[in-house]
Amino acid sequence: MRRVLGDRAMAMVMASPRRARFARNWTGRLVAFGEFIDGYDLLVVGAAVLFLRPAFGLSNGEVGLVTASAFVGTALGLLVFGDLSDRFGRRTIFMVNLVFFVVASIGAAFVHEVWQLVLARFVLGVAVGMDIPTSHAFLTEIAPKARRGRIAGSLPNLMWLSGAIVSVLLALALKPVFGNETWRWLFGLAAIPATAVLVARQFLPESPRWLQAQGRTEEAQQVYDALGLEPPKPELETPRNYKALVAGGAWRRLVAVTAFFAFQAFGGAVATVAGPLIISSIGIGVSNTLHFSLLGFVMGLIAVSVGSLIIDRVNRRWLGVWTCLGVFVAGLGIAITGRHPGAGLVICWAVYATLVWLGPGVLSWVWSTEAFPTALRGLGSGIAQCVTRLAIALNVFLVPTLLQKHGIAVVAWYAGAFAVSALIVVASPWLATTGVELEDLAETRTAETG
């Protein structure tokens, strides 16, 4: 049945020049648009919690639980469905996940108990986790080596940040109208773009590299032709064996990309989902707090846009090292200037967000798929992202209590994660992947494991 559905999807793409043109122009964007939904939903909780706290009378522990629940759900979805996307195809999984997302988004808008909200947010997280490794692997597999950093790293993060910005703008627009009930609208409105993407994705093909890895070379060639891509040389055959992720020296890549992704995300959450809670701790009010969050996301969007112009032209490894060290310094600046809020805090906050998204925030996405062969790319990426989401969950679970005890100085602790991230990159020479074809990286992996 799955093979029949895939054949029908390919037939729709090839049915007419118009359909083929649609696939060529919109496949990457529609796949990446899943990150808009991810960015909106996982970041909207940072704004929503400002309204949830008074509406439900939440304690610090309950705030942490509500905020972290979606990240725990995402971690589960990443681990389970990353593997399933390797088995059953990228397209199958990134279609199904949006159905769950739409239902859970609407459900979250109508809850009346804290436990109901935690459950709805958890299910939403699972749906997001289904999409991330699947879409991520797909984008990597259709990207030419000269533009892989831009397509697999910059594009999804531009979408992600756009979703985050929309969540804050909606919060600012809805707050005067709905007051403490604003959170219901913030959660429920997420179903609208998800439904639109669900419909549009019906017309997308399967990943050509995945088809090629399954021995379906004729179908793969049709997709390459439809997308206007030059087929790469065949990848060295890698059996679907979980041991291949850790055999020989392969475990070093898995550990390196997972640790880098997790540490930078743990510290990076300061400028994203944990941002509203951190800034509100200095007592500047809800509206000013939301404006601070918006500043961080806008600076991030600018940084990713600029980074997209250089990520495929410079040595990615050293881009990662220097930006991580810059974020660490900016974090120390936030901890110091936050004690007496003013221009210094605004500048340090903007620099922190800018450097996170210029380097580590995007590079982690690129490296976490480049490290694995096609047969295990969804699973490998899923493992890295799973640990990452748990790291973010730990951040947002701890931050209400830590802020109560230590104030904004806790940012210095979180920023230390970027110093660790820089050390990981220094110790991993293979991360200099600019301009290298995926199949050549596969040969390097084989040499390491042999």
Side-chain angles (χ1 to χ4, degrees), residues 152-209:
S154 301
L155 177 59
N157 280 284
L158 283 171
M159 294 289 188
W160 196 90
L161 283 162
S162 297
I165 289 171
V166 168
S167 73
V168 178
L169 290 176
L170 273 178
L172 288 167
L174 296 173
K175 174 180 176 289
V177 180
F178 298 105
N180 286 343
E181 292 293 296
T182 297
W183 64 272
R184 295 188 184 275
W185 291 89
L186 292 175
F187 289 151
L189 288 172
I192 296 176
T195 301
V197 175
L198 174 61
V199 173
R201 280 184 176 181
Q202 302 288 330
F203 303 99
L204 300 186
E206 179 57 88
S207 160
R209 272 189 167 96

Side-chain angles (χ1 to χ4, degrees), residues 42-364:
L42 294 185
L43 271 298
V44 77
V45 72
V49 77
L50 299 176
F51 306 99
L52 283 165
R53 192 194 286 266
F56 282 89
L58 299 179
S59 65
N60 284 336
E62 288 173 327
V63 169
L65 186 60
V66 169
T67 309
S69 58
F71 291 98
V72 176
T74 302
L76 176 63
L78 284 161
L79 197 58
V80 173
F81 290 95
D83 183 30
L84 292 181
S85 76
D86 290 331
R87 292 176 178 271
F88 302 118
R90 316 304 187 200
R91 185 180 183 277
T92 300
I93 302 301
F94 72 50
M95 292 293 298
V96 173
N97 82 290
L98 289 176
V99 176
F100 284 92
F101 186 91
V102 170
V103 173
S105 295
I106 295 172
F110 291 97
V111 300
H112 294 284
E113 301 288 342
V114 174
W115 71 266
Q116 295 172 343
L117 181 59
V118 171
L119 179 60
R121 295 293 301 165
F122 176 81
V123 174
L124 276 164
V126 173
V128 169
M130 292 170 69
D131 189 81
I132 293 173
T134 309
S135 299
H136 192 191
F138 189 104
L139 288 172
T140 300
E141 290 164 0
I142 66 169
K145 64 181 181 180
R147 292 185 290 132
R148 191 168 61 244
R150 185 182 305 179
I151 293 174
S154 301
L155 177 59
N157 280 284
L158 283 171
M159 294 289 188
W160 196 90
L161 283 162
S162 297
I165 289 171
V166 168
S167 73
V168 178
L169 290 176
L170 273 178
L172 288 167
L174 296 173
K175 174 180 176 289
V177 180
F178 298 105
N180 286 343
E181 292 293 296
T182 297
W183 64 272
R184 295 188 184 275
W185 291 89
L186 292 175
F187 289 151
L189 288 172
I192 296 176
T195 301
V197 175
L198 174 61
V199 173
R201 280 184 176 181
Q202 302 288 330
F203 303 99
L204 300 186
E206 179 57 88
S207 160
R209 272 189 167 96
W210 184 84
L211 290 170
Q212 202 167 21
Q214 305 301 306
R216 296 160 64 177
T217 54
E218 184 176 342
E219 293 172 74
Q221 185 61 55
Q222 288 180 323
V223 178
Y224 282 125
D225 291 342
L227 298 181
L229 299 174
E230 184 71 26
K233 66 179 183 181
E235 184 175 322
L236 292 176
E237 187 173 337
T238 304
R240 256 202 62 80
N241 187 332
Y242 297 146
K243 291 182 180 179
L245 289 174
V246 295
W251 66 270
R252 295 187 183 91
R253 294 191 175 218
L254 178 63
V255 170
V257 297
T258 300
F260 177 79
F261 211 148
F263 273 106
Q264 70 83 27
F266 180 79
V270 166
T272 55
V273 67
L277 285 173
I278 290 172
I279 292 301
S280 66
S281 70
I282 61 179
I284 61 174
V286 172
S287 293
N288 286 331
T289 295
L290 290 173
H291 281 105
F292 248 100
S293 292
L294 186 60
L295 170 66
F297 294 142
V298 169
M299 295 307 299
L301 193 66
I302 294 171
V304 175
S305 299
V306 172
S308 70
L309 302 176
I310 65 172
I311 193 170
D312 292 308
R313 299 182 180 182
V314 301
N315 186 309
R316 291 179 193 145
R317 185 179 173 221
W318 291 111
L319 176 64
V321 170
W322 292 115
T323 50
C324 282
L325 293 177
V327 177
F328 173 62
V329 173
L332 298 181
I334 292 173
I336 295 170
T337 59
R339 297 170 185 171
H340 304 286
L345 176 60
V346 174
I347 292 171
C348 289
W349 187 268
V351 171
Y352 192 100
T354 299
L355 292 179
V356 164
W357 293 107
L358 182 63
V362 173
L363 291 171
S364 55

Side-chain angles (χ1 to χ4, degrees), residues 387-405:
V387 176
T388 295
R389 297 302 169 126
L390 291 176
I392 299 173
L394 179 63
N395 178 311
V396 297
F397 181 77
L398 292 176
V399 77
T401 302
L402 292 175
L403 284 170
Q404 187 177 40
K405 292 182 178 179

